[in-house]
């Protein structure tokens, strides 16, 4: 048997489990969000995107585009190397100072993605704090799970958002043992929000360091867009905050913010930082412009929340199975991998609406869904078209849409 045959077996297994992923080739066009051209078809029809992580449409904002264009002309395309070897550009230093200011921390460190930020930071913290135990929320992102695994530290998992279970695990540890609590603010698939204040209470009571992933919250919550911890008045109590530049800020990259000693230790020990080419200056400049704009402007956040409420209301009134989530994420439950893919395909081909199916391993088997993310640019006409298309799709595929079946995972 050849190597390629073994790889083909792995592909065939994905297909047999109905979780083989097909990518739709989209052409986003500045000034026309949330519409895009679907180049997966020869005629490249225009589609409406309902699942983008560019939550506020900042990827097309004139302030961001202007900053990137100016930086590209001034600095050129690439960073030129790692941060230690010629890649420590002025724009990336400004970006890190801006991120530290955003979160009210001493310092920040930029990475090439949110995944790398979580993986590198947790792995390094866990290695540096010899003999520590990491208490991880059961629904933490794959990047956090990877970082905890790479740390080599002992891991204990607490039930999702269950502060009583977390406290029982903390109580079981010796008082002098180093402890890290790793959790998220907004969980991206169910759309629920962590009890940050209660977790910080436990961390202070039991002497634990807190590591909070605000990836799906930065830009969207808080008076300056610093996330749920800012909204809840708990930001100063969190030791390490991780975030992304590729979602609400509309560019790319990831980061962590924390105390000067912690950030400096990660800068000097994290392989995922040391051995990676730095973010290009134009990307750093665009991210800084986006952060600065959202620190000063509430318009985008207010419009975003209003659109989320309107979309959820319209879906529920149609009897569609919307998961009861408190954040901006709108999960529409299908609970079957094949039917989820069929629904996504029908929406795209028949209605020119793009919503990617979400299946295992992103979510547990049996909890497959369409993950809808309204933006400030999804107006009433687009919401009405979405609801009409979903009702037609649900009826055509025989999916239940009675209000009595409104889905809850827990």
């Amino acid at each position: 048997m050849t190597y390629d045959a073994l790889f083909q077996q792995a592909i065939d297994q994905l297909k047999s489990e109905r979780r083989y992923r097909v990518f739709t080739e989209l052409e986003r066009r500045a000034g026309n969000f949330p519409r895009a051209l679907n180049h997966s078809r020869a005629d490249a029809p225009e589609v409406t995107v309902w699942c983008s992580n560019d939550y506020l449409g900042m990827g097309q904002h004139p302030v961001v585009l202007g900053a990137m264009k100016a930086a590209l002309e001034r600095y050129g395309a690439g960073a030129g190397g790692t941060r230690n070897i010629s890649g420590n550009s002025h724009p990336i230093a400004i970006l890190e100072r801006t991120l530290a200011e955003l979160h009210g921390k001493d310092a920040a460190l930029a990475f090439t993605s949110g995944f790398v930020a979580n993986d590198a930071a947790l792995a390094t913290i866990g290695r540096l704090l010899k003999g520590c135990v990491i208490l991880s929320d059961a629904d933490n992102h794959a990047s956090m799970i990877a970082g905890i695994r790479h740390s080599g530290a002992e891991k204990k998992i607490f039930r999702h958002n269950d502060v009583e279970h977390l406290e029982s695990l903390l109580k079981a540890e010796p008082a002098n043992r180093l402890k890290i609590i790793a959790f998220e603010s907004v969980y991206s698939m169910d759309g629920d929000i962590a009890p940050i204040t209660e977790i910080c209470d436990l961390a202070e009571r039991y002497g634990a360091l807190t590591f909070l992933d605000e990836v799906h919250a930065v830009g969207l919550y808080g008076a300056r867009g610093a996330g749920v911890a800012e909204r809840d008045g708990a930001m100063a109590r969190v030791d390490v905050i991780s975030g992304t530049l590729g979602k609400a800020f509309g560019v790319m990259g990831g980061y962590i913010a924390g105390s000067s000693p912690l950030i400096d230790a990660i800068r000097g020990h994290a392989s995922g930082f040391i051995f990676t080419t730095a973010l290009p200056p134009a990307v750093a400049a665009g991210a800084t412009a986006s952060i600065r704009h959202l620190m000063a402007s509430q318009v985008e956040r207010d419009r975003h929340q209003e659109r989320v409420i309107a979309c959820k209301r319209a879906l529920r009134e149609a009897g569609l199975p919307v998961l009861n989530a408190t954040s901006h994420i709108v999960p529409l439950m299908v609970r079957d991998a094949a039917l989820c893919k069929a629904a996504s395909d029908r929406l795209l081909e028949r209605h020119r609406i793009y919503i990617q199916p979400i299946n295992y391993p992103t979510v547990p088997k049996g909890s497959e869904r369409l993950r809808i993310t309204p933006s400030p640019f999804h107006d009433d006409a687009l919401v009405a078209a979405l609801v009409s298309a979903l009702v037609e799709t649900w009826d055509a595929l025989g999916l239940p849409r009675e209000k009595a079946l409104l889905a809850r995972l827990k």
Side-chain angles (χ1 to χ4, degrees):
M1 183 172 289
T2 66
Y3 289 107
D4 278 349
L6 293 171
F7 295 135
Q8 188 62 50
Q9 282 184 359
I11 295 168
D12 292 342
Q13 181 178 350
L14 289 176
K15 290 181 177 179
S16 70
E17 295 174 1
R18 304 297 179 92
R19 57 189 186 96
Y20 179 76
R21 302 186 180 209
V22 177
F23 294 166
T24 302
E25 185 181 342
L26 299 176
E27 178 188 337
R28 283 162 51 99
R29 291 176 292 162
N32 203 33
F33 183 80
R35 293 176 176 86
L37 299 182
N38 177 15
H39 285 283
S40 295
R41 283 181 37 168
D43 55 343
E46 185 176 78
V47 299
T48 302
V49 178
W50 272 98
C51 59
S52 175
N53 282 340
D54 188 359
Y55 293 131
L56 299 177
M58 292 301 293
Q60 65 168 9
H61 198 286
V63 168
V64 178
L65 300 185
M68 294 188 74
K69 289 175 184 175
L72 184 64
E73 290 295 325
R74 180 171 180 175
Y75 302 110
T82 65
R83 292 290 294 277
N84 188 51
I85 305 176
S86 83
N88 189 43
S89 68
H90 184 52
I92 205 168
I94 293 173
L95 170 62
E96 289 175 342
R97 289 195 286 270
T98 303
L99 289 165
E101 179 186 348
L102 173 68
H103 291 291
K105 301 300 182 187
D106 296 339
L109 198 63
F111 294 82
T112 50
S113 75
F115 190 107
V116 175
N118 277 343
D119 185 7
L122 279 167
T124 304
I125 293 169
R127 283 197 305 269
L128 294 177
L129 300 181
K130 304 296 185 184
C132 74
V133 58
I134 302 178
L135 300 106
S136 175
D137 188 286
D139 284 5
N140 274 344
H141 190 262
S143 59
M144 301 177 78
I145 295 169
I148 294 167
R149 182 183 302 117
H150 294 153
S151 75
E154 182 182 0
K155 175 182 71 173
K156 293 189 176 181
I157 298 173
F158 61 93
R159 290 187 293 272
H160 177 54
N161 279 349
D162 189 333
V163 291
E164 291 183 2
H165 187 217
L166 173 58
E167 183 167 22
S168 71
L169 295 176
L170 288 165
K171 277 183 177 178
E173 294 298 326
N176 62 349
R177 189 176 190 187
L178 300 176
K179 309 169 189 72
I180 303 164
I181 303 173
F183 63 111
E184 302 180 39
S185 58
V186 176
Y187 288 84
S188 63
M189 290 300 125
D190 288 0
D192 54 345
I193 295 177
I196 298 174
T197 299
E198 290 87 344
I199 291 175
C200 287
D201 289 343
L202 291 179
E204 291 168 6
R205 189 176 308 152
Y206 293 97
L209 180 144
T210 47
F211 186 105
L212 174 62
D213 177 320
E214 289 259 37
V215 161
H216 289 274
V218 289
L220 302 175
Y221 299 90
R224 302 172 309 126
V228 177
E230 181 187 42
R231 183 199 70 177
D232 292 354
M235 190 164 64
R237 303 176 68 192
V238 177
D239 296 300
V240 190
I241 294 174
S242 73
T244 184
L245 307 170
K247 293 183 169 60
F249 293 132
V251 193
M252 71 164 290
Y255 65 89
I256 59 169
S259 70
S260 291
L262 183 145
I263 296 299
D264 207 18
I266 293 172
R267 184 181 72 90
H269 288 85
S271 296
F273 175 81
I274 296 169
F275 298 106
T276 300
T277 298
L279 289 173
V283 171
T288 300
S290 183
I291 295 163
R292 285 287 178 197
H293 176 84
L294 291 174
M295 286 174 72
S297 174
Q298 191 66 27
V299 173
E300 292 81 4
R301 284 189 286 279
D302 288 345
R303 171 67 175 172
H304 180 240
Q305 287 298 318
E306 186 274 326
R307 289 290 81 201
V308 169
I309 292 169
C311 184
K312 287 181 178 179
R313 180 172 59 244
L315 292 170
R316 289 190 176 114
E317 287 174 353
L320 290 161
V322 182
L323 191 67
N324 188 24
T326 55
S327 74
H328 59 283
I329 293 165
V330 187
L332 194 60
M333 305 306 294
V334 180
R335 300 184 183 280
D336 179 277
L339 289 173
C340 196
K341 177 67 165 59
S344 175
D345 289 347
R346 188 175 184 88
L347 287 168
L348 186 61
E349 294 302 319
R350 186 180 182 90
H351 301 284
R352 296 189 178 182
I353 288 174
Y354 174 66
I355 310 175
Q356 188 69 10
I358 305 295
N359 56 25
Y360 180 82
T362 306
V363 295
K365 292 179 181 179
S367 65
E368 293 81 7
R369 67 198 64 188
L370 300 178
R371 177 181 175 273
I372 298 168
T373 54
S375 79
F377 299 93
H378 288 93
D379 59 21
D380 287 340
L382 290 180
V383 171
L386 171 69
V387 172
S388 175
L390 285 168
V391 167
E392 190 280 333
T393 298
W394 248 243
D395 289 346
L397 297 178
L399 297 171
R401 64 181 183 93
E402 290 80 11
K403 291 183 179 180
L405 295 179
L406 290 180
R408 291 179 184 271
L409 282 180
K410 301 291 189 289

